[in-house]
Amino acid sequence: REGVSLADAQAEMTAIADRLAEEYPDTNEGVGVVVQSLRDSVIGDARPRLLLLLAAAGIVLLISCVNVAGMLLARATDRLGEVGLRLAIGAERRRIVRLFLTESLVLALTGGVVGVALAAWGTRALLALAPGSVPRTGEVAVDLGVLLFAILIMVAASLIFGLVPAAQALRHNRRPIISEGRGGRAITRSGRLRNGLVVAEVAASLLLVIGTGLVIRTFLNLNAVDPGFDPNGLLVAHVRLPNSAYQDNDAIRSFHDQVLEKLRSLPGVESATTVLTFPMHWNIRGFLSFTIEGRPEDEEDFPAAGYQVVGPDYFRTMGIPLLRGRLFDSGDTSGAVPVALVNRTVAEINWPDEDPIGKRASWGTDDEGNRIWITIVGVVEDAYVEGLDLPPRPETYRPFAQDPFNFMTLVLRTGDDPASYATALRQTVVDVDPTQPVSDLKTMDEILSAELAQRRFNMLLMGLFAGVAVLLVAVGLYGMLSFSVSRRRHEIGIRRALGALPRDIVVQFTFEGVRMIALGLCIGAAGALTVVRFISTQLHGVSATDIPTYAIAALVLISVGLLATYLPARRAARVEPMTVLRTE
């Protein structure tokens, strides 16, 4: 209720869980409660990824503003004489500022209207690509709130790239501006500011490209993760038997025995089994504490592991290798000695210096309060069950025949396309019980694809943002150097007349561009080292300071920058000295 903090709710629920454990030790011992806010439950781990996309979009917007500011600044340089004349005949400085802001606002609104129209179309396209794990996508639309936000961004952007040229034009007294005309100190200062804006563009773009590179590396690493089992040819389906029809364990075992026998007889089916919760398919997974025979029972430090119930042939069907001991067999029935398997992690944590085979553990007591000791008969390899980006957790396995549940997942391994067996699997269940439905029928490829879907979507958007940013950098460099060439045609003509070769002119202008690129890369790399640590939790298998990623990002910008620099430099080298000297 209102006024109760999350910590207070957690404390109260923990106390309730402790009381339940005292009253019902056979079912509730070692079982706790985790309290989570509804917002966190809905958003989950999508929040940091969406914030990363928001930051990427903000960087692109900033680069766009810087780019337009540089272009308007170049245009304002051509208007220094006009500004000086306006001031000389009595125009107030605020009217000059208003003139520049009006022009930039018209530019921003025109681009903004086009942008909103593209957003309305692009939103539908992106939503079609968005995975179901992104929360509340059904509410995403270009509505009134988005339009108001867009207008706010337009006004803010116009202020950003409109005030820069206005401030630059008004820094000088009216007489020097008029007398300098198309050259002089004002243009020199304006050129330095334009160069600074290009450097800022390169730095911001490098930051975005590095972030995109890290996201791509993370996706590739996750895609290459060995899940600990063979995912090829697997088909799964969830079955939940109603308590009213299946009131005892014998009925539950009989249903699954019949279904599995029929599934194994289908042509093309290599094996069939059942499992309580299939890896990466169901989020509700048991994680229970247990007691090891011969060790003191410390209620503050019980060993704990995932509790999994599997049918016969589960490990062969999944392709999970046996490391020591044996797997479950037909002799592990309800009346036999209770047995269990553990994975490598459980064995290393609880028996680091000894063989767990033959050791006994207890997950609860009988009706009289006596411990039920279960013998460990084998150790299997770890498998990823909660996600490819989460390490394999401690996992224990019990045979379905000794601990049946009424909700299980059927697993089918086929020699060819597993999706083609979906109808046959449904029909098999209907043949055993016509009233029993099958849900969540998926192939393992679909499950793995869904597991990586949000990462893939983030990679796509980050790549799109980074591509736009690199394109804007190229446009900014090209525009700045093209303007420089047009302003310095007279100088170039004199240099050519005095004997400068075309390649000398190319080298000179290319060096100017390379110098700005290099400075921007240094600043961007320093900024990236500071900023990317905030996204380190979203990375997998790659460091936030991964040198190859930084180097590739720098090479991308250097390549694009050199191309954008070379084109105006080559045009400068084609200037004919006599033509320039005659016209100027």
Side-chain angles (χ1 to χ4, degrees), residues 229-240:
F229 55 86
D230 182 8
N232 300 313
L234 292 179
L235 178 69
V236 302
H238 191 67
V239 175
R240 186 181 186 93

Side-chain angles (χ1 to χ4, degrees), residues 77-299:
T77 302
D78 276 338
R79 300 173 63 184
L80 287 177
E82 173 197 338
V83 172
L85 183 59
R86 287 177 180 270
L87 292 173
I89 61 178
E92 298 179 357
R93 289 180 177 268
R94 59 185 178 86
R95 292 179 64 88
I96 302 297
V97 173
R98 188 169 63 188
L99 172 66
F100 278 91
L101 288 180
T102 300
E103 293 177 352
S104 63
L105 182 59
V106 170
L107 184 62
L109 290 176
T110 304
V113 169
V114 176
V116 168
L118 289 175
W121 169 82
T123 298
R124 292 192 293 269
L126 289 177
L127 287 177
L129 298 174
S133 56
V134 178
R136 305 178 67 177
T137 52
E139 303 173 34
V140 176
V142 181
D143 53 15
L144 179 61
V146 173
L147 291 176
L148 292 177
F149 178 76
I151 292 173
L152 178 63
I153 291 295
M154 293 178 211
V155 174
S158 64
L159 290 176
I160 292 174
F161 61 69
L163 286 176
V164 173
Q168 181 67 20
L170 294 176
R171 284 184 59 187
H172 316 283
N173 294 326
R174 59 182 70 100
R175 182 176 298 175
I177 292 179
I178 297 175
S179 63
E180 287 169 3
R182 292 171 54 85
R185 293 189 304 273
I187 295 178
T188 302
R189 284 190 289 266
S190 175
R192 286 197 295 265
L193 182 55
R194 290 197 309 275
N195 293 350
L197 292 176
V198 172
V199 170
E201 277 189 89
V202 174
S205 296
L206 179 65
L207 180 62
L208 184 53
V209 174
I210 288 175
T212 302
L214 293 174
V215 170
I216 293 174
R217 288 284 304 276
T218 293
F219 177 81
L220 295 177
N221 289 340
L222 289 173
N223 200 43
V225 166
D226 179 6
F229 55 86
D230 182 8
N232 300 313
L234 292 179
L235 178 69
V236 302
H238 191 67
V239 175
R240 186 181 186 93
L241 303 178
N243 294 330
S244 57
Y246 296 85
Q247 299 179 0
D248 55 53
N249 290 339
D250 289 338
I252 296 173
R253 279 190 287 261
S254 175
F255 170 85
H256 282 278
D257 288 343
Q258 294 179 64
V259 170
L260 293 179
E261 183 180 357
K262 290 178 177 293
L263 288 175
R264 294 186 186 113
S265 66
L266 294 175
V269 174
E270 297 179 356
S271 60
T273 186
T274 185
V275 61
L276 182 59
T277 53
F278 192 76
M280 291 175 275
H281 189 36
W282 277 70
N283 293 326
I284 302 175
R285 304 184 185 279
F287 201 81
L288 302 178
S289 61
F290 58 93
T291 300
I292 299 175
E293 187 179 31
R295 298 185 186 180
E297 297 185 20
D298 184 359
E299 296 184 358

Side-chain angles (χ1 to χ4, degrees), residues 220-500:
L220 295 177
N221 289 340
L222 289 173
N223 200 43
V225 166
D226 179 6
F229 55 86
D230 182 8
N232 300 313
L234 292 179
L235 178 69
V236 302
H238 191 67
V239 175
R240 186 181 186 93
L241 303 178
N243 294 330
S244 57
Y246 296 85
Q247 299 179 0
D248 55 53
N249 290 339
D250 289 338
I252 296 173
R253 279 190 287 261
S254 175
F255 170 85
H256 282 278
D257 288 343
Q258 294 179 64
V259 170
L260 293 179
E261 183 180 357
K262 290 178 177 293
L263 288 175
R264 294 186 186 113
S265 66
L266 294 175
V269 174
E270 297 179 356
S271 60
T273 186
T274 185
V275 61
L276 182 59
T277 53
F278 192 76
M280 291 175 275
H281 189 36
W282 277 70
N283 293 326
I284 302 175
R285 304 184 185 279
F287 201 81
L288 302 178
S289 61
F290 58 93
T291 300
I292 299 175
E293 187 179 31
R295 298 185 186 180
E297 297 185 20
D298 184 359
E299 296 184 358
E300 300 296 328
D301 190 25
F302 271 112
Y307 189 83
Q308 189 67 276
V309 175
V310 300
D313 284 342
Y314 173 76
F315 299 99
R316 185 171 71 87
T317 302
M318 293 294 292
I320 299 176
L322 175 70
L323 301 180
R324 289 197 299 274
R326 68 172 179 86
L327 298 176
F328 300 136
D329 56 33
S330 58
D332 297 318
T333 61
S334 58
V337 175
V339 294
L341 294 170
V342 298
N343 68 352
R344 179 197 294 268
T345 300
V346 171
E348 292 177 348
I349 292 176
N350 297 285
W351 295 277
D353 301 319
E354 52 185 323
D355 189 353
I357 306 301
K359 300 294 190 298
R360 298 204 305 175
S362 173
W363 279 262
T365 59
D366 57 20
D367 296 336
E368 299 177 357
N370 299 316
R371 283 282 178 189
I372 301 175
W373 295 106
I374 299 174
T375 304
I376 298 172
V377 296
V379 179
V380 296
E381 186 58 88
D382 291 339
Y384 288 77
V385 297
E386 295 182 301
L388 295 175
D389 56 347
L390 298 173
R393 68 175 190 171
E395 197 83 68
T396 58
Y397 300 89
R398 293 272 287 124
F400 175 76
Q402 294 184 351
D403 192 9
F405 281 71
N406 65 336
F407 51 93
M408 298 289 288
T409 300
L410 299 173
V411 185
L412 214 63
R413 176 169 292 280
T414 66
D416 48 10
D417 179 21
S420 62
Y421 290 82
T423 301
L425 189 151
R426 286 195 181 95
Q427 186 59 46
T428 299
V429 173
V430 170
D431 290 343
V432 175
D433 184 349
T435 65
Q436 179 58 48
V438 173
S439 61
D440 290 292
L441 199 153
K442 294 180 180 178
T443 66
M444 190 66 223
D445 289 339
E446 291 174 331
I447 294 173
L448 288 176
S449 178
E451 171 68 19
L452 296 174
Q454 189 165 333
R455 299 273 190 178
R456 187 184 300 110
F457 184 64
N458 286 5
M459 181 182 67
L460 172 66
L461 290 185
M462 288 288 291
L464 179 64
F465 290 140
V468 173
V470 171
L471 178 63
L472 290 174
V473 168
V475 171
L477 273 169
Y478 179 84
M480 185 277 302
L481 286 177
S482 294
F483 178 76
S484 180
V485 169
S486 66
R487 301 292 305 182
R488 298 168 63 182
R489 283 175 57 85
H490 188 70
E491 172 198 336
I492 296 170
I494 294 177
R495 287 178 179 270
R496 291 293 311 279
L498 293 177

